[in-house]
DNA sequence: AAGCTGACTTGAGGCAAGGGTT
DNA sequence: AACCCTTGCCTCAAGTCAGCTT
């Protein structure tokens, strides 16, 4: 089809190849414009869609009667409804969440709603509740699961596979496609991230009556479980989801959609990178424009221009405003407040330094000290004049205004395109800079990871250092030491073999020298591999590469790099990633340029 | 133009599978 | 074969952005 064109075979004529390629990409682009542009709510996403509906969470199984709950030191039997919610709390006893005031307060309030009148009258203080037997019961259960026999584990695996085959796929326009999340989220206690005002609230169980099914009219639509009915069955081919329901914490809608390997997700992904590549062509013009705008006599334009500069230079997110009290207090570019930045006319020998310190998406801290242009600095001073710490830095700007402006600068341009563009261009440029033709494959892969790391740092993709980090580092060091030992042994042996051969001058001893030489080489290589691994791991301590690899880096850059240096794609992408990026693996050859 | 809603992408964390090591 | 540790995968929360309503 248009989307996965046959790879163009190289004749010796490079120019013909290039021309042909341009045609293909032009055709593809036209196709994209036709089918994919302006796609929210306006364009047909599929013609035929058939699926089996969602898999519901298993029903609640009451605790065995020997597992007791105590209130105020005395055994108390709970109604099944109250007991179920109690088990959600009991399962989390070891978690820090359960010590937090807001969590406890929210949980207790929602738990009481599930209690019978008698329970409600009796249970008035969470501190007097003793869930420890429940907690131990669940711990024992998970131990038991681990201790199952091979056969039992095999059986579970087979059952899962059967469910996957039945519910995990759908038919969309003549293709059997993998569904991403066909299981409905089970009930439990809401765990918001960061300082979330709703943490601990009860996430209720989803029933068939909550479910909207979306499929094509001419398909066999899924049956609800016996004795139940769907909320609605609709046939909307302007959207990509198969199932939806409304979640009770924020009142937002949740969806079942297709796997990243699906045509519909792949095309969208490809389109995203094509938009970023179009930005590449006009980014200079846009940069000149916003630099001009720093001088505008209109405040709103200056603010817009400074915000855009941050988004471009620092890869900040757009920063939509959020409803206060509904979510954790986090910000992005447009929602930055005065308290989130500090200005230093001079700092560590640099002029005009801005210090950023705020909580971004997922309450991950963004901390950065950057020198900026004098004009930007002066503008920031102006924006901050006569404001309180909790006032908006950009009071004349929001994401909607910014994106409307961007749309005028380039078709399809929005704030997040800058993140994609800067991430991908950084990878490409870093790969060029860091790859050393002389080096072997492990060393080249280290270079790749370093390029990837540069992007992750730019995008602020942090992670908590793994709990086992120190130990695993030590283990690796032990291995390295052992390997060094082994190497010097091997070298010693080689030396004596050489000496031996010099005296004896026979074939046999010459052969022995060769063998020893090979051994030394092999061990040297192994040692190097370990050392590279150690470096890589150390540098990666607090940085997560996965997110940028999956969401920001045009996979064709990586595929091209692999082809150019003869590195198997498997070294860069695992199986799932190869499935997601199948289109790119197919499309890109070694001279692909982002 | 502000606010709301729906659809879709992006994100970190948790957990289990499975691969390497002892 | 038991163990241990990494890796991959899943989960589900938290963003972005466009279109609609008021």
């Amino acid at each position: 089809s248009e989307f996965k064109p046959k790879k163009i075979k190289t004749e010796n004529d490079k120019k013909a190849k290039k021309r042909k390629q341009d045609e293909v990409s032009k055709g593809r682009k036209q196709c994209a414009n036709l089918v994919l542009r302006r796609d929210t709510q306006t364009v047909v996403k599929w013609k035929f869609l058939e699926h089996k509906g969602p898999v519901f969470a298993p029903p609640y199984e009451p605790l065995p009667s020997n597992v007791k709950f105590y209130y105020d030191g005395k055994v108390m039997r709970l109604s099944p409804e109250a007991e179920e919610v109690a088990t959600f709390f009991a399962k989390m006893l070891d978690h820090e969440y359960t010590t937090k005031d807001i969590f406890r307060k929210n949980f207790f309030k929602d738990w009481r709603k599930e209690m019978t009148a008698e329970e409600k009258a009796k249970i008035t203080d969470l501190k007097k509740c003793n869930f420890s037997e429940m907690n131990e019961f669940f711990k024992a259960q998970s131990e038991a699961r681990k201790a199952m026999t091979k056969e039992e584990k095999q059986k579970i695996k087979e059952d899962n596979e059967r469910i996957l085959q039945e519910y995990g796929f759908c038919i969309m326009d003549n293709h059997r496609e993998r569904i991403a999340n066909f299981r409905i989220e089970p009930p439990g206690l809401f765990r918001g991230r960061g300082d979330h005002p709703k943490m601990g609230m009860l996430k209720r169980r989803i029933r068939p009556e909550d479910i909207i099914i979306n499929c094509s009219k001419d398909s066999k639509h899924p049956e609800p479980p016996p004795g139940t009915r769907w909320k609605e069955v609709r046939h909307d081919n302007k959207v990509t989801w198969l199932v939806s329901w409304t979640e009770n914490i924020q009142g937002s809608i949740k969806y079942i959609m297709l796997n990243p390997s699906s045509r519909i997700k792949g095309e969208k992904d490809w389109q995203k990178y094509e938009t970023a590549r179009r930005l590449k062509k006009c980014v200079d013009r846009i940069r000149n424009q916003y630099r001009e705008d720093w001088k505008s006599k209109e405040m709103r334009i200056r603010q817009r221009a400074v915000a855009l500069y941050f988004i471009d230079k620092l890869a900040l997110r757009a920063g939509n405003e959020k409803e206060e009290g509904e979510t954790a207090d986090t910000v992005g570019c447009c929602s930055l407040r005065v308290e989130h930045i500090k200005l230093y006319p001079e700092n560590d020998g640099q002029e005009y330094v801005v210090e950023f310190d705020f909580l971004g998406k997922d309450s991950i801290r963004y901390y950065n000290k950057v020198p900026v242009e004098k004009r930007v600095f002066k503008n920031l001073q102006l924006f901050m004049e006569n404001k309180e710490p909790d006032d908006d830095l950009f009071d004349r700007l929001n994401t909607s205004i910014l994106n409307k402006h961007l749309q005028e600068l380039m078709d399809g341009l929005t704030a997040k395109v800058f993140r994609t563009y800067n991430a991908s261009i950084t990878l490409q440029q870093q790969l060029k800079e860091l790859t050393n033709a002389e080096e072997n494959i492990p060393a080249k892969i280290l270079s790749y990871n370093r390029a990837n790391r540069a992007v992750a740092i730019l995008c602020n993709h942090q992670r908590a250092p793994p709990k086992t980090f120190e130990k695993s580092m030590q283990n690796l060091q032990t291995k390295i030491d052992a390997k060094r030992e082994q190497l010097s042994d091997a070298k010693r042996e080689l030396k004596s073999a050489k000496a031996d051969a010099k005296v004896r001058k026979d074939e046999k001893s010459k052969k022995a020298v060769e063998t020893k030489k090979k051994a030394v080489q092999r061990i040297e290589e192994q040692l190097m591999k370990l050392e590279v691994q150690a470096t890589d791991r150390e540098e990666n301590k607090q940085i997560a590469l996965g997110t940028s690899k999956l969401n920001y880096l045009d996979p064709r850059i990586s595929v091209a790099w692999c082809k150019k240096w003869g590195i198997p794609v498997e070294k860069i992408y695992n199986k799932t990633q190869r499935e997601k990026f199948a289109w790119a693996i197919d499309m890109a050859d070694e001279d692909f340029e982002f």
Side-chain angles (χ1 to χ4, degrees), chain A residues 157-246:
Chain A
K157 207 176 161 188
E158 281 164 14
D159 289 348
N160 279 334
E161 182 59 26
R162 221 166 298 129
I163 295 174
L164 173 68
Q165 289 304 324
E166 174 156 14
Y167 293 95
F169 293 84
C170 73
I171 305 289
M172 185 179 272
D173 293 341
N174 305 319
H175 287 287
R176 183 167 182 259
E177 303 260 38
R178 179 84 190 266
I179 297 170
N181 56 324
F182 56 90
R183 288 173 197 276
I184 299 277
E185 296 172 18
L189 303 183
F190 176 78
R191 307 150 87 123
R193 303 190 186 139
D195 226 341
H196 198 117
K198 298 193 172 183
M199 63 169 81
M201 282 174 64
L202 175 63
K203 221 174 83 161
R204 58 163 241 287
R205 178 178 291 273
I206 304 301
R207 310 150 305 160
E209 290 74 14
D210 303 312
I211 294 290
I212 302 174
I213 298 288
N214 192 34
C215 59
S216 59
K217 264 186 200 150
D218 57 349
S219 75
K220 203 168 128 240
H221 75 243
E223 290 299 327
T228 66
R229 34 184 297 168
W230 301 126
K231 180 178 182 185
E232 185 190 334
V233 176
R234 71 170 73 155
H235 310 290
D236 182 358
N237 68 358
K238 307 281 203 293
V239 295
T240 65
W241 54 266
L242 321 185
V243 172
S244 76
W245 69 93
T246 301

Side-chain angles (χ1 to χ4, degrees), chain A residues 349-363:
Chain A
Q350 291 178 307
E351 279 188 309
Y352 309 120
V353 172
V354 184
E355 181 183 49
F356 293 82
D357 191 353
F358 61 88
L359 297 182
K361 181 177 176 180
D362 291 333
S363 295

Side-chain angles (χ1 to χ4, degrees), chain A residues 375-550:
Chain A
R375 274 222 169 77
V376 171
F377 195 86
K378 294 286 171 198
N379 271 317
L380 288 169
Q381 286 178 324
L382 179 69
F383 304 159
M384 290 164 83
E385 248 169 43
N386 302 319
K387 280 188 190 168
E388 298 296 316
D390 62 349
D391 286 337
D392 285 338
L393 177 64
F394 303 115
D395 53 302
R396 306 285 176 88
L397 183 71
N398 61 39
T399 55
S400 168
I401 296 172
L402 179 65
N403 280 335
K404 265 180 200 136
H405 171 64
L406 292 176
Q407 196 58 241
E408 283 165 17
L409 297 180
M410 185 194 100
D411 188 25
L413 187 61
T414 62
K416 85 185 185 90
V417 178
F418 282 89
R419 243 168 111 79
T420 312
Y421 162 71
N422 279 311
S424 287
I425 202 77
T426 300
L427 179 75
Q428 185 171 77
Q429 170 245 323
Q430 286 288 303
L431 283 177
K432 254 182 210 156
E433 212 169 295
L434 298 175
T435 313
N436 182 349
E438 314 298 311
E439 286 177 331
N440 59 12
I441 291 188
K444 285 204 178 87
I445 289 171
L446 176 63
S447 300
Y448 180 90
N449 286 341
R450 283 180 164 158
N452 193 164
R453 211 134 43 225
V455 175
I457 290 166
L458 174 72
C459 294
N460 198 231
H461 292 143
Q462 298 187 30
R463 64 164 183 183
K467 287 184 216 41
T468 54
F469 185 83
E470 290 308 329
K471 207 161 118 214
S472 84
M473 227 38 219
Q474 256 170 24
N475 287 347
L476 201 51
Q477 195 52 52
T478 314
K479 272 196 205 169
I480 290 173
D481 292 343
K483 199 50 85 179
R484 288 218 174 102
E485 199 68 18
Q486 202 187 337
L487 181 62
S488 56
D489 285 353
K491 278 185 174 165
R492 212 171 15 252
E493 281 178 39
L494 173 61
K495 219 174 185 177
S496 74
K498 271 183 179 164
D500 197 39
K502 216 171 185 177
V503 181
R504 295 213 208 167
K505 297 188 166 146
D506 63 347
E507 271 311 304
K508 201 178 164 192
S509 55
K510 268 190 200 162
K511 263 236 170 86
V513 170
E514 280 313 301
T515 318
K516 298 286 179 205
K517 235 184 213 166
K518 284 249 169 68
V520 167
Q521 262 174 20
R522 204 185 60 236
I523 294 165
E524 269 175 343
E525 207 162 284
Q526 287 169 340
L527 176 62
M528 194 224 164
K529 225 169 144 179
L530 285 173
E531 282 172 334
V532 160
Q533 204 185 347
T535 315
D536 207 17
R537 193 176 295 177
E538 184 66 49
E539 290 177 358
N540 227 25
K541 185 175 181 180
Q542 304 200 60
I543 303 185
L545 301 186
T547 301
S548 50
K549 206 178 209 178
L550 237 43

Side-chain angles (χ1 to χ4, degrees), chain A residues 302-314:
Chain A
R302 287 193 184 209
Q303 290 193 359
R304 198 179 68 192
V306 171
L308 186 49
Y309 168 74
F310 285 162
I311 285 170
D312 183 21
K313 184 184 171 75
L314 304 172

